[in-house]
Amino acid sequence: MTPASGAAVPSGAVPARYDVAIVGAGIVGLAHAWRAVRAGLKVVVLERDEYAAGASIRNFGHICTSAQSGPAYDYALRARGEWLALGADAGIPVSTAGTVAVARRLEELAVLEEFVGERSDDNVLLTAAQLADKLGFAPVDALGGAWLRLDLRVDAPSAVPAFAAHLARLGVEFRYRANVLGVESGRVVTARAEVTADRVIVAVGHDVDRLFPGIADEHGVVRCRLRMIEADAPAGVTVDPGVFTGTSLLRYDAFSRTAAAAALRDALDREAPELGEHGVNLMFTQRLPHSDAAGRLVLGDTHHYGLTESPFDDEASDELLLARFRELLGVRELVVRRRWRGVYASSPNGPYLVASPAPGVTAVSVTSGIGMTTALGLAASVLD
């Protein structure tokens, strides 16, 4: 994960004016650059680190089209097409195997039946036998499930830098290690130089409060801290789709808004309150064959919220995840290879913050953890 070759500009370069300056080289910033450069605009991306190291590379690589609702679903559908086009143009592998949601209790099955009933064109109910066939293993105690056919998957740690490299080839200029100190109409001040642009997009995720604290306060933006684990897959297990479980059905709007979700929430609160205490979304993906950790399972995740990200991680939450995955997979042990902390912006006021703190300046944050899923669709709406 290094900057695109030749993309960084020396601090002594001759100043130039740009059509669009984008602050942040994560997926939201790159999505806006992708939209702008294809419109023939002169684009510069300013990134404080030597490569994007935040939420955009710390996730499942899961593009969760199917489980969105409202405007997020519209953005996700558009983004799906953009991901397929980007994959073809940039040589980024994109899996079209979808997602399988596993139901291990009747309440979960009821949610999936209601969901598929509303969106039967793109989603299919599965029996327990069909579920095992689709997954390549038989989840313990599975009653059935659903196949969400629209979902995609990429290898986030390699896809994001590959995306940046492709944009550089298209003419987008990248300035890494360019920490932004201030933004105003037509001007971005970094610790190295000043950049002038007709339009400025600030796409810094949860750090929007560093530049525009008033806007962050107005939208109730906090940091969501995640725990994620990478482990060896059990012997012989290859899982092409992403995998959801019952907790996932309470985290994504298209499931949680069903009438059946209330009974599921009551059952989990009663029978497994520790899952709610740690904000667990028990799901996993398998690293794609071209990745540096091909075949490993990315397991997660917990969710804890606050204005300031606590530096302390609780081993009990990791063990809770591992115990639940051992149970799901029917194994006694999982060999952990890596653990990491994710962090993203969260807000009670909806999945997106789009605000204009000054003429020609737009602050954009995805405040719900669905940046990989919807950013490529959101950018078109913001820029157009």
Side-chain angles (χ1 to χ4, degrees):
M1 297 175 293
T2 58
S5 176
V9 174
S11 58
V14 176
R17 186 170 187 90
Y18 300 88
D19 296 314
V20 183
I22 296 169
V23 182
I27 190 62
V28 177
L30 298 183
H32 285 78
W34 169 247
R35 184 71 177 172
V37 74
R38 288 183 298 161
L41 301 179
K42 185 176 183 179
V43 183
V44 63
V45 176
L46 308 168
E47 167 59 44
R48 68 184 179 189
D49 292 314
E50 61 177 324
Y51 56 83
S56 298
I57 66 165
R58 304 186 196 186
N59 59 75
F60 294 97
H62 184 230
I63 298 163
C64 180
T65 308
S66 306
Q68 309 308 319
S69 66
Y73 187 48
D74 295 333
Y75 294 149
L77 288 172
R78 183 165 190 166
R80 183 181 191 275
E82 295 286 341
W83 270 113
L84 294 172
L86 174 62
D89 290 351
I92 298 173
V94 179
S95 169
T96 58
T99 298
V100 168
V102 178
R104 302 173 68 202
R105 59 178 73 223
L106 290 174
E107 294 90 347
E108 295 165 5
L109 201 57
V111 171
L112 292 176
E113 288 172 346
E114 185 175 343
F115 165 75
V116 172
E118 295 173 353
R119 297 189 182 178
S120 58
D121 289 346
D122 300 311
N123 306 283
V124 180
L125 286 173
L126 302 173
T127 65
Q130 291 170 328
L131 182 78
D133 183 62
K134 180 67 69 175
L135 288 174
F137 75 98
V140 174
D141 296 332
L143 303 176
W147 178 34
L148 318 181
R149 298 190 297 185
L150 293 180
D151 289 9
L152 305 174
R153 193 155 48 90
V154 297
D155 185 68
S158 60
V160 170
F163 190 0
H166 182 60
L167 290 171
R169 290 191 294 270
L170 294 178
V172 174
E173 189 175 298
F174 283 80
R175 299 193 186 189
Y176 292 96
R177 298 178 61 212
N179 190 42
V180 171
L181 305 178
V183 177
E184 58 188 56
S185 296
R187 190 168 79 111
V188 181
V189 178
T190 80
R192 293 180 179 271
E194 182 178 302
V195 174
T196 57
D198 296 331
R199 181 87 181 268
V200 180
I201 303 293
V202 180
V204 293
H206 54 277
D207 284 340
V208 65
D209 61 357
R210 308 299 194 209
L211 291 171
F212 305 117
I215 288 174
D217 290 347
E218 181 183 344
H219 286 77
V221 175
V222 298
R223 288 162 176 79
C224 178
R225 173 171 53 92
L226 318 172
R227 285 293 287 171
M228 299 184 70
I229 298 170
E230 190 174 87
D232 288 344
V237 171
T238 298
V239 187
D240 290 331
V243 179
F244 281 166
T245 69
T247 54
S248 309
L249 307 185
L250 298 179
R251 290 205 67 86
Y252 295 101
D253 280 354
F255 302 128
S256 65
R257 292 185 178 185
T258 61
L264 174 57
R265 185 174 290 105
D266 289 344
L268 289 179
D269 286 346
R270 183 175 61 253
E271 299 171 24
E274 67 278 8
L275 297 178
E277 178 185 345
H278 291 282
V280 171
N281 174 20
L282 200 71
M283 64 170 288
F284 74 86
T285 58
Q286 190 164 35
R287 297 291 298 275
L288 296 178
H290 72 283
S291 76
D292 62 351
R296 291 181 186 170
L297 303 183
V298 179
L299 312 172
D301 52 357
T302 58
H303 299 75
H304 296 91
Y305 301 88
L307 281 171
T308 300
E309 182 187 354
S310 170
F312 304 108
D313 291 318
D314 183 2
E315 187 65 21
S317 64
D318 282 11
E319 181 51 36
L320 173 62
L321 290 176
L322 290 169
R324 292 287 175 164
F325 279 113
R326 289 193 295 263
E327 178 187 5
L328 177 71
L329 295 164
V331 297
R332 297 184 63 180
E333 294 295 335
L334 285 168
V335 178
V336 174
R337 298 298 183 182
R338 294 194 290 193
R339 305 172 193 245
W340 64 91
R341 175 188 295 184
V343 59
Y344 65 74
S346 180
S347 167
N349 297 327
Y352 303 104
L353 181 160
V354 180
S356 181
V361 178
T362 307
V364 184
S365 291
V366 178
T367 52
S368 58
I370 54 173
M372 294 294 279
T373 298
T374 63
L376 289 169
L378 171 66
S381 173
V382 171
L383 287 175
D384 293 353

